[in-house]
Amino acid sequence: MQKKGSAQLIAALEASGRDVDPDAREEAKLRAGTDDAVRRALAEHYRRIRQPAQAGRWGIVFPGWARPHEVAQLRLWLAGTADRGDYVRRSLSLAASTPLPHAVADLSDPALRERRPGARRETVAEVSGCVATALLAAVALVPVVGIGKVIVDGLAGVRSADGPVLVVTAAVLLGLALVFGLIRTVRPRLGLDPTFLQMRAAELMTTRPREGRAMLRALVAVDDTDTARHALVDDARRRGRPAEAARWGCTIAGLTTAEERSAYADVLLSGERPAYADDRLLDASRVPYDDPSAGDVDAVRALLGVRPPRPPVDLPPPDGGPRMRFLLLALLSIPVGAGVIVWSDAAPRVIASLSLAFTAGMWTVLFAIAAVQHPRRPATGLMSTAIVSAIATGAAVVFAFV
């Protein structure tokens, strides 16, 4: 797709009706975060085609532009997309330094609503960290070259004079890489209070119940404590909707009654295609894909006349090979061998050959195990690699002592 200029995008969006170029619409969404003219044209476009939630989504940043019903529909839409991240800012395509519009700010964690003056420093720190990582990755080639030179010289039976310098440099750089990686891992980041959305949804249930229910339904997918499901069940019972109570509570053992499950089954069977009632059950109740018989789901299936599914089977990794970290750990024998060559009186040729032999031997074992665990097509390639590694192991051992 050829990119359009802002004027072309605005002209395309101003076309009447719903037949606007979908590529232009999608490109406008990507540009709206940095181009106010495109954002306003996108908001006007959605207003013309009578999609108030989307009109509010793109136009709420302009003071006084969004109409009350557009703001109301936007809030309902945002509540239905709630997750553990900064979903409000992300949905509105706002920069990190832009405060959230007041009309929707209460849907986001206070820690994420207003970016502090230090937000730019955080961004600079992120960029600096990325640059430092790239530089460190480039410098990390030095240890590889240095250790490789020591091993190659050792295979030739020579203990190079600059070996100690190379090995020490390699050790220092690898140590810095490890320390930097640990700092990047444990560096605190601006996060979301995992309990905020639950509390906010509970508050909305008393003031804006439609938004509260929408937020709770969205949280079902990201809530590990089933708090959202319990709240939805309680709300359905207060409103006298037994089928709705069973819809959200059937995945929790003992939470729903037989009458509620029966009412839910009647709703599922009332569709145009009763044969797909089980699919509707999985989708409507958001049953965990890795536990299709969670809680009382099978009790609902029995009312539908559907057999419980077979228990999930643990499948092998899709690549069918050994894990990369084990292959990399096997390479540690090479820098260890380089250190022994530099600081011991052992024969360089023997040490270098045995270091390579150990790595090749470990790879032989890893690929052979992977070939046994992953039958059929991947086994041929894995076993071939294991055989090649075994041959390399034998050749390295013979070279060490001949």
Side-chain angles (χ1 to χ4, degrees), residues 202-374:
E203 293 171 357
L204 288 173
M205 289 297 290
T206 61
T207 57
R208 300 169 180 262
R210 289 186 63 197
E211 293 179 9
R213 293 185 197 104
M215 183 174 283
L216 287 173
R217 287 193 290 268
L219 294 179
V220 165
V222 295
D223 182 19
D224 298 330
T225 62
D226 290 328
T227 306
R229 288 187 182 273
H230 281 276
L232 286 168
V233 171
D234 293 340
D235 174 68
R237 287 172 176 168
R238 283 194 301 268
R239 294 186 294 137
R241 298 192 176 185
E244 191 76 6
R247 173 189 178 186
W248 298 111
C250 66
T251 60
I252 304 173
L255 182 58
T256 58
T257 65
E259 292 78 8
E260 291 170 341
R261 292 192 293 270
S262 178
Y264 185 35
D266 291 340
V267 172
L268 292 173
L269 290 171
S270 64
E272 296 180 359
R273 307 176 73 178
Y276 291 89
D278 187 49
D279 293 335
R280 288 199 294 273
L281 166 64
L282 295 174
D283 183 58
S285 296
R286 299 185 188 175
V287 179
Y289 73 92
D290 56 345
D291 189 9
S293 295
D296 295 328
V297 173
D298 284 345
V300 179
R301 284 197 178 95
L303 296 172
L304 299 175
V306 179
R307 293 182 179 179
R310 295 180 179 179
V313 179
D314 293 332
L315 299 176
D319 58 356
R323 294 187 180 276
M324 180 61 67
R325 63 173 176 269
F326 296 132
L327 296 177
L328 295 177
L329 284 174
L331 290 173
L332 289 178
S333 64
I334 296 178
V336 171
V340 173
I341 291 173
V342 170
W343 284 295
S344 74
D345 296 330
R349 178 175 175 176
V350 174
I351 301 302
S353 300
L354 290 181
S355 298
L356 297 175
F358 180 84
T359 296
M362 290 299 297
W363 281 21
T364 300
V365 174
L366 291 172
F367 278 104
I369 292 174
V372 173
Q373 292 178 343
H374 302 82

Side-chain angles (χ1 to χ4, degrees), residues 67-79:
R67 296 168 181 167
H69 77 282
E70 291 171 342
V71 174
Q73 291 297 315
L74 170 62
R75 286 180 59 87
L76 192 60
W77 179 77
L78 286 173

Side-chain angles (χ1 to χ4, degrees), residues 24-287:
R25 182 185 293 165
E26 292 305 314
E27 188 173 345
K29 291 180 181 179
L30 296 177
R31 296 267 196 95
T34 56
D35 191 327
D36 285 346
V38 173
R39 179 186 284 272
R40 183 181 286 273
L42 190 60
E44 294 283 0
H45 163 70
Y46 278 114
R47 176 176 285 176
R48 280 195 301 274
I49 63 174
R50 297 181 180 179
Q51 292 191 16
Q54 293 302 309
R57 174 188 181 187
W58 300 107
I60 196 171
V61 298
F62 304 114
W65 185 91
R67 296 168 181 167
H69 77 282
E70 291 171 342
V71 174
Q73 291 297 315
L74 170 62
R75 286 180 59 87
L76 192 60
W77 179 77
L78 286 173
T81 61
D83 62 25
R84 299 293 192 197
D86 195 359
Y87 72 99
V88 176
R89 188 181 304 277
R90 184 174 64 247
S91 299
L92 300 181
S93 294
L94 295 179
S97 58
T98 303
L100 291 179
H102 177 73
V104 295
D106 62 308
L107 297 177
S108 181
D109 190 319
L112 302 176
R113 292 181 196 172
E114 300 289 342
R115 295 298 178 166
R116 302 175 302 279
R120 186 175 182 277
R121 291 196 299 272
E122 293 175 1
T123 304
V124 171
E126 290 286 346
V127 174
S128 301
C130 293
V131 173
T133 302
L135 291 175
L136 194 58
V139 177
L141 292 175
V142 175
V144 176
V145 175
I147 292 174
K149 183 178 186 304
V150 173
I151 293 295
V152 170
D153 289 345
L155 291 174
V158 178
R159 183 178 283 104
S160 58
D162 54 354
V165 176
L166 292 174
V167 173
V168 170
T169 302
V172 170
L173 290 175
L174 290 175
L176 288 175
L178 178 60
V179 171
F180 184 81
L182 289 175
I183 292 175
R184 291 280 294 172
T185 302
V186 303
R187 184 170 57 86
R189 297 182 179 181
L190 186 63
L192 176 65
D193 181 358
T195 63
F196 168 77
L197 289 178
Q198 299 289 357
M199 295 187 298
R200 187 67 189 118
E203 293 171 357
L204 288 173
M205 289 297 290
T206 61
T207 57
R208 300 169 180 262
R210 289 186 63 197
E211 293 179 9
R213 293 185 197 104
M215 183 174 283
L216 287 173
R217 287 193 290 268
L219 294 179
V220 165
V222 295
D223 182 19
D224 298 330
T225 62
D226 290 328
T227 306
R229 288 187 182 273
H230 281 276
L232 286 168
V233 171
D234 293 340
D235 174 68
R237 287 172 176 168
R238 283 194 301 268
R239 294 186 294 137
R241 298 192 176 185
E244 191 76 6
R247 173 189 178 186
W248 298 111
C250 66
T251 60
I252 304 173
L255 182 58
T256 58
T257 65
E259 292 78 8
E260 291 170 341
R261 292 192 293 270
S262 178
Y264 185 35
D266 291 340
V267 172
L268 292 173
L269 290 171
S270 64
E272 296 180 359
R273 307 176 73 178
Y276 291 89
D278 187 49
D279 293 335
R280 288 199 294 273
L281 166 64
L282 295 174
D283 183 58
S285 296
R286 299 185 188 175
V287 179

